[in-house]
Amino acid sequence: MESETVIEATEPQILSRDSDPSPLNEATNAPGYSKERYVLGANTDWLDLVDHQTFMSGSTTMEAAQNFFRDHPNCRYSVVLDESGQIVGLCSEQKIGNTLSQWGLGYAVFARKAIRNHILENDFRIVRGTPVYKVLNAIMERKDDFFDDVILVDEHDRFQGLIRVATLVHLQHEINRQQYDEIKTFSSQLNRNNEELARSRDAAMQAADMKSSFLANMSHEIRTPLNGILGMIKILLRTPLNEKQRRYAQTVQHSGAALLTILNDILDFSKIEAGKMDLEEIPFDLNELMDETVQLMDERAREKGLELFSWVNSNVPAGLISDPARLRQVLLNLISNAIKFTEAGEVMIRVTQESDLGECSRIKISVTDTGIGISAENQAKLFQAFQQADSSTNRKFGGTGLGLAISRKIVELLGGHIALQSKEGQGSTFSFTVDFKKQKKEPSSPDSNPEPVDFWGVRALIVTENPSYAGFISEQITSWNILSKHISSANDAMSFALQTAQRGAPMDIIFLDSQMGDQTGFDFVAELRSHTPLEDSRVILLTGKNQELDPQRTRELRITDTLPKPLRVKNLQDSIALSLARQPKDSPPPHNEQNTSAESQSEAPTEGLVQDSAPESDIRPLKLLLVEDSEVNREVALIQLKTWQHQVQTAGNGKIAIELLSREQFDGVLMDCQMPEMDGYAAAAEIRNPDSAVIQHDLYIIAMTANALQGDRDKCLQAGMNDYVSKPVDETELLSALHRCAEHSPELLLKQEPQPAPPSAPPSTARASFPSHLIELFFRETEQRIEELQSHLETNSMEKASRAAHTIKGTAGNFAATQLADLAREMEAGCQDGNLQRAWELLPQIQHAFAAHRSLAATHK
């Protein structure tokens, strides 16, 4: 159809799809919807579907357009063209009628207005040649006005005609009919294929009686060369080998042994069906079995770039009695399936104790992957013989397709049950629960009462992008009394390590993944060594199995130790002990050396609540005012200051301090910054104000605050304070500040009472702990502050919540409760930023950290 003629008429025009393109004075009815129009279905030419052409120039008056629609009731829409014949848009009878009826008395004026300013805001255009399915989808999904007609244009946006939506609906129906015919044909073919498969199945079932003989012969043919392999590997392991060669040979040995076990299991399948399989009951070590199984499958996991590891809870007994070969077979099958259906992420084997039954332990073993998942439809048939979720998948155990069925039968024979949790696209978890008998150790056995692993007081930073792996390490080392923190970002980990080191509490050990995104472990350690406070940090590098590391680079960066993944618990323990033995020159001896005095043991130390002996002071006794709203922090500071024989008065906030300073003179003030009623900054400004009632306007003020950034120090000095000590207070820093205070402040005229000589410092090997009443005070006050924090968050009082978090941060820091202090610091920053959502996320973590400290303290009473 041609449509290049410039439209100059001021009267609307309508053409039928079968008419001559010249303008007509009367509208033609749209053609009938004959089936022939749709025979091509999805390949239909859009021009064949044009129902009519209705167009008018933009200069057409609104009255003329309205009269045209009245005369032609079949036409509800018209295309508006400009002087060059290009489409301006689409107008409708309804829009024109509504507009003119609203103008009332102005009808005579506005009816002569041109139609070009009254087109619809949206129109729907089909470019000739666009695939049919795209147009139909767009019609169904559009969110703008519903149009009865759509505009057909060519590739230059020239008007071709109007197509009614009803016509497109008929087209869709025809396409559906054609597709139905195709599906029907395909279904018939599928039925024929099924019949052929049924005949094949019948033939296979007829040959089932040959299965046992065939498996026996095949097993013999495989076992003969396998025995030779295992024998030669055993001989090889007796020869001198370096560590890497021995590890390779042991992997071959373990793999061969597992293959031999699998062959025997396949032969036993007929016994399972006949109910004649006998299980062994022999002692075995669960941890060793888990480690060996993971080592066997690690190569396959690494080939796909997957993280594979086992996580055995610390309360799970290792010495059990059962059939370890059958248990390993179940694990190998589940792990193999998990690796097969996982393209990225991890496969984790988790072992937990559900209940201690005395002579038995109910243990749950789960294999979780981040793979494709299994639909609910396929889950029901997975554990049935000859049933697979995907029949095209390569099957384990020589292609029998019975792996999960065998696993279910073995678990049931062990007295347990197997289950599956999965969601398509979100991974799967196969788990089984079994009651295992526990081994009875002889009283004379050297390991009947093993020495508990205790790295009390050690703090560790875990730097890995895998939260599950970090959780595994954290839980294990927590059972050894190590406080840990996980950070998944290398940059955040570097900032955290530097921050803790700068405030005098560096991390004792850093567990570092050898690859953190685009950054290698070597890159991280190199940056670590560039910071003076971190140059002696102990770093344990977690590497992939058989990962080649540059030994020279490892020595240059002084990496303390390397641990290949998947981790073995014993290797992890040995590595920590080795790393702690390699301490910097100025580090104290390991905490577990048997050199503590009887006096230091009179009160059992509480993890995270211990101080070393205070340094001796040669400063003359000073009269000091301690301004601190936290009762715990006041007690801690009083213990430190009175050790050096200073006379100390206390004030709970800045307002009380100003009242005291208006009546008495002091050598100096130790000022907390964030307090209710009047904070430290306002109190310092009042002291410096010459018009205030304070006696000494040049009094030496030492800021004591848990804010330890450079900007916080500057803020204190700008407020008029002379010095700055961050919390948790380092006694050496405090002593230096008091030295400067003594030099600044002349001796008071007030006669000082003679003070007894300070007691001699305890031996350097002793560790002095806080008094029990002070620890109880810490817990009582912190619990109250956490309740206040929650109350402030509930009322959206972010400023008050920030102050509560600040106090928790300071007191926890003074008691070396590092995890609690760090969480409170993050809470304080979130409240200051007004991030209520983040604050609510941190609150349960703070509560959990506090409960953990209190629980641990109770165990040491």
Side-chain angles (χ1 to χ4, degrees):
M1 174 177 288
E2 299 295 329
S3 60
E4 298 183 359
T5 305
V6 176
I7 306 299
E8 297 180 352
T10 58
E11 291 296 323
Q13 304 295 325
I14 181 168
L15 300 178
S16 71
R17 62 187 295 267
D18 301 319
S19 66
D20 185 88
S22 60
L24 299 178
N25 293 325
E26 295 186 0
T28 356
N29 292 332
Y33 296 109
S34 62
K35 183 178 178 182
E36 288 71 18
R37 301 180 70 190
Y38 315 102
V39 291
L40 295 179
N43 296 320
T44 296
D45 189 327
W46 291 116
L47 199 57
D48 293 336
L49 296 178
V50 169
D51 294 303
H52 59 88
Q53 276 189 323
T54 306
F55 57 89
M56 60 183 67
S57 72
S59 59
T60 302
T61 65
M62 295 185 66
E63 184 178 31
Q66 185 182 45
N67 291 333
F68 175 82
F69 282 121
R70 288 174 178 172
D71 295 338
H72 304 90
N74 289 333
C75 300
R76 298 175 58 191
Y77 294 89
S78 176
V79 174
V80 179
L81 306 179
D82 62 13
E83 289 75 7
S84 63
Q86 295 296 314
I87 300 174
V88 177
L90 191 70
C91 73
S92 71
E93 176 189 17
Q94 183 179 11
K95 182 174 180 64
I96 294 171
N98 291 344
T99 303
L100 290 176
S101 63
Q102 291 173 1
W103 285 341
L105 295 177
Y107 177 88
V109 176
F110 292 107
R112 295 185 177 87
K113 295 290 184 180
I115 198 66
R116 66 167 56 89
N117 298 324
H118 298 280
I119 62 176
L120 296 175
E121 295 181 359
N122 299 302
D123 60 47
F124 196 88
R125 304 186 189 186
I126 299 174
V127 179
R128 187 177 177 186
T130 303
V132 170
Y133 76 93
K134 288 188 176 181
V135 175
L136 294 177
N137 288 341
I139 287 287
M140 299 304 171
E141 296 175 0
R142 69 191 187 281
K143 298 179 181 178
D144 51 8
D145 296 335
F146 183 88
F147 297 128
D148 282 345
D149 287 6
V150 296
I151 306 172
L152 178 66
V153 298
D154 62 11
E155 63 273 13
H156 302 296
D157 200 33
R158 292 175 299 192
F159 177 53
Q160 300 280 291
L162 289 171
I163 302 175
R164 291 177 179 170
V165 171
T167 302
L168 298 179
V169 172
H170 280 279
L171 174 62
Q172 179 68 70
H173 289 168
E174 180 61 25
I175 293 174
N176 291 343
R177 188 195 63 77
Q178 293 177 12
Q179 291 177 341
Y180 171 77
D181 291 342
E182 293 174 0
I183 293 174
K184 187 175 180 180
T185 301
F186 176 78
S187 177
S188 299
Q189 181 62 43
L190 186 61
N191 288 335
R192 289 192 293 271
N193 292 343
N194 288 339
E195 291 174 359
E196 293 178 4
L197 289 174
R199 287 192 292 271
S200 299
R201 180 201 60 198
D202 293 341
M205 293 181 67
Q206 291 174 3
D209 59 330
M210 300 174 59
K211 178 181 60 177
S212 297
S213 175
F214 168 78
L215 291 178
N217 292 334
M218 182 60 66
S219 175
H220 172 78
E221 293 298 323
I222 297 176
R223 186 180 283 108
T224 299
L226 183 59
N227 285 336
I229 293 172
L230 291 175
M232 293 305 296
I233 286 294
K234 186 178 295 185
I235 295 172
L236 178 62
L237 286 170
R238 294 171 183 163
T239 64
L241 300 172
N242 61 38
E243 182 180 353
K244 185 183 297 184
Q245 291 169 334
R246 182 167 297 277
R247 188 165 65 247
Y248 291 165
Q250 288 174 340
T251 300
V252 174
Q253 184 184 47
H254 293 156
S255 300
L259 178 58
L260 188 60
T261 301
I262 291 171
L263 289 172
N264 292 332
D265 290 339
I266 293 176
L267 289 173
D268 286 335
F269 179 74
S270 57
K271 294 181 180 179
I272 293 177
E273 291 183 309
K276 297 180 180 180
M277 170 174 275
D278 296 324
L279 295 180
E280 293 184 299
E281 283 198 354
I282 59 176
F284 71 99
D285 187 295
L286 180 61
N287 289 327
E288 290 182 3
L289 184 142
M290 297 303 301
D291 287 339
E292 291 173 359
T293 304
V294 170
Q295 293 291 334
L296 288 173
M297 303 303 299
D298 182 59
E299 186 69 25
R300 289 183 57 189
R302 286 192 302 107
E303 288 176 355
K304 299 186 69 173
L306 304 178
E307 192 91 76
L308 172 66
F309 65 100
S310 63
W311 180 348
V312 182
N313 277 20
S314 56
N315 66 338
V316 176
L320 302 174
I321 299 175
S322 186
D323 192 326
R326 302 301 180 193
L327 181 59
R328 182 187 289 110
Q329 178 183 345
V330 175
L331 286 170
L332 286 172
N333 179 63
L334 297 182
I335 297 171
S336 176
N337 283 344
I339 294 174
K340 182 189 302 181
F341 297 109
T342 304
E343 295 301 325
E346 66 182 26
V347 175
M348 178 178 67
I349 304 93
R350 187 73 188 271
V351 184
T352 59
Q353 178 177 251
E354 289 200 335
S355 57
D356 189 346
L357 307 176
E359 295 183 353
C360 294
S361 177
R362 180 164 295 165
I363 293 176
K364 181 179 181 179
I365 302 178
S366 305
V367 179
T368 302
D369 64 63
T370 56
I372 61 175
I374 304 170
S375 66
E377 177 184 358
N378 287 324
Q379 289 182 32
K381 59 184 181 182
L382 270 183
F383 296 100
Q384 301 175 18
F386 303 106
Q387 294 287 340
Q388 293 285 326
D390 180 4
S391 60
S392 66
T393 303
N394 290 332
R395 299 184 179 97
K396 195 174 174 62
F397 306 126
T400 63
L402 299 171
L404 289 176
I406 292 176
S407 298
R408 179 176 65 88
K409 290 292 186 180
I410 292 176
V411 170
E412 290 174 352
L413 289 172
L414 291 171
H417 65 277
I418 193 167
L420 165 64
Q421 290 182 331
S422 182
K423 191 171 183 180
E424 200 165 9
Q426 299 183 16
S428 306
T429 298
F430 287 84
S431 61
F432 58 97
T433 305
V434 177
D435 293 345
F436 290 96
K437 293 181 181 179
K438 293 188 286 190
Q439 298 178 25
K440 294 181 179 179
K441 297 182 179 179
E442 298 295 331
S444 58
S445 174
D447 60 344
S448 59
N449 294 299
E451 187 72 15
V453 180
D454 186 9
F455 294 113
W456 176 84
V458 173
R459 290 173 302 164
L461 175 62
I462 305 170
V463 187
T464 176
E465 294 178 328
N466 188 326
S468 299
Y469 217 102
F472 156 61
I473 297 175
S474 178
E475 179 176 300
Q476 188 57 60
I477 64 179
T478 298
S479 69
W480 300 334
N481 288 334
I482 295 179
L483 291 175
S484 67
K485 181 178 179 62
H486 168 231
I487 299 180
S488 58
S489 165
N491 292 334
D492 292 346
M494 184 67 67
S495 300
F496 176 82
L498 186 59
Q499 183 181 8
T500 56
Q502 286 175 339
R503 69 167 187 252
M507 304 305 291
D508 296 301
I509 296 176
I510 298 176
F511 293 95
L512 175 65
D513 215 330
S514 60
Q515 191 69 41
M516 296 285 294
D518 295 331
Q519 187 178 28
T520 67
F522 281 164
D523 296 333
F524 183 94
V525 179
E527 184 180 354
L528 193 80
R529 299 300 183 213
S530 67
H531 298 288
T532 302
L534 302 175
E535 59 185 2
D536 290 322
S537 299
R538 304 177 186 87
V539 178
I540 297 177
L541 194 64
L542 308 178
T543 67
K545 185 179 179 182
N546 302 332
Q547 181 178 354
E548 297 291 341
L549 296 177
D550 184 356
Q552 179 64 27
R553 185 68 169 152
T554 304
R555 287 191 296 271
E556 289 174 355
L557 293 174
R558 289 179 285 120
I559 294 175
T560 313
D561 196 12
T562 59
L563 276 178
K565 293 189 292 184
L567 292 179
R568 291 174 179 252
V569 173
K570 184 63 171 65
N571 294 346
L572 179 63
Q573 176 186 333
D574 293 342
S575 181
I576 294 173
L578 174 65
S579 299
L580 292 176
R582 299 176 181 174
Q583 298 189 55
K585 292 184 297 183
D586 55 349
S587 295
H591 70 276
N592 57 355
E593 290 187 5
Q594 303 300 317
N595 55 7
T596 53
S597 65
E599 181 180 355
S600 68
Q601 297 174 357
S602 59
E603 284 192 73
T606 304
E607 180 179 309
L609 304 176
V610 177
Q611 290 181 314
D612 294 326
S613 300
E616 294 188 32
S617 171
D618 57 355
I619 308 172
R620 64 177 175 85
L622 301 173
K623 182 181 180 182
L624 302 171
L625 175 61
L626 173 64
V627 189
E628 170 65 68
D629 65 313
S630 169
E631 185 179 357
V632 175
N633 288 344
R634 287 201 300 271
E635 288 286 343
V636 172
L638 284 172
I639 291 175
Q640 293 172 327
L641 295 170
K642 288 183 177 180
T643 301
W644 299 321
Q645 304 304 305
H646 298 300
Q647 180 184 350
V648 186
Q649 292 189 43
T650 62
N653 57 50
K655 184 177 180 181
I656 299 173
I658 295 301
E659 294 175 358
L660 282 171
L661 293 172
S662 301
R663 300 192 304 266
E664 296 185 50
Q665 289 182 308
F666 293 85
D667 290 312
V669 175
L670 299 169
M671 183 77 73
D672 186 29
C673 291
Q674 292 196 15
M675 296 175 291
E677 295 194 52
M678 179 183 286
D679 62 22
Y681 304 114
E686 187 70 9
I687 293 172
R688 299 298 184 228
N689 183 3
D691 297 328
S692 69
V694 173
I695 299 174
Q696 303 163 275
H697 297 296
D698 62 344
L699 185 63
Y700 198 85
I701 305 175
I702 302 173
M704 295 180 65
T705 175
N707 294 333
L709 301 178
Q710 181 63 37
D712 300 312
R713 178 187 296 272
D714 296 340
K715 185 177 180 180
C716 292
L717 299 179
Q718 291 171 4
M721 303 184 195
N722 303 87
D723 219 324
Y724 175 98
V725 176
S726 63
K727 299 177 185 176
V729 175
D730 181 272
E731 291 178 321
T732 303
E733 290 184 13
L734 178 59
L735 199 57
S736 299
L738 292 176
H739 264 291
R740 293 187 288 272
C741 177
E743 294 172 357
H744 175 273
S745 306
E747 292 191 28
L748 295 177
L749 298 178
L750 297 175
K751 184 177 181 180
Q752 302 289 338
E753 295 294 330
Q755 300 292 340
S760 58
S764 61
T765 56
R767 297 180 67 98
S769 60
F770 286 119
S772 58
H773 78 278
L774 188 55
I775 295 175
E776 289 300 322
L777 180 61
F778 161 72
F779 285 130
R780 187 168 62 252
E781 179 176 305
T782 304
E783 182 177 26
Q784 180 181 349
R785 298 289 186 182
I786 293 176
E787 292 175 356
E788 293 175 0
L789 174 61
Q790 181 172 354
S791 176
H792 294 325
L793 292 179
E794 290 172 350
T795 58
N796 201 17
S797 304
M798 302 303 284
E799 184 177 352
K800 294 180 180 179
S802 175
R803 285 201 299 268
H806 177 84
T807 303
I808 296 170
K809 175 182 67 175
T811 54
N814 283 332
F815 281 80
T818 308
Q819 184 181 20
L820 180 59
D822 291 340
L823 290 169
R825 177 179 295 102
E826 192 172 351
M827 171 70 80
E828 180 186 15
C831 292
Q832 290 174 348
D833 294 339
N835 192 340
L836 183 61
Q837 180 180 354
R838 180 56 180 157
W840 277 112
E841 292 173 354
L842 288 168
L843 181 62
Q845 300 180 44
I846 289 176
Q847 293 169 333
H848 177 75
F850 174 69
H853 281 291
R854 169 171 276 182
S855 175
L856 193 55
T859 63
H860 286 85
K861 285 188 177 181

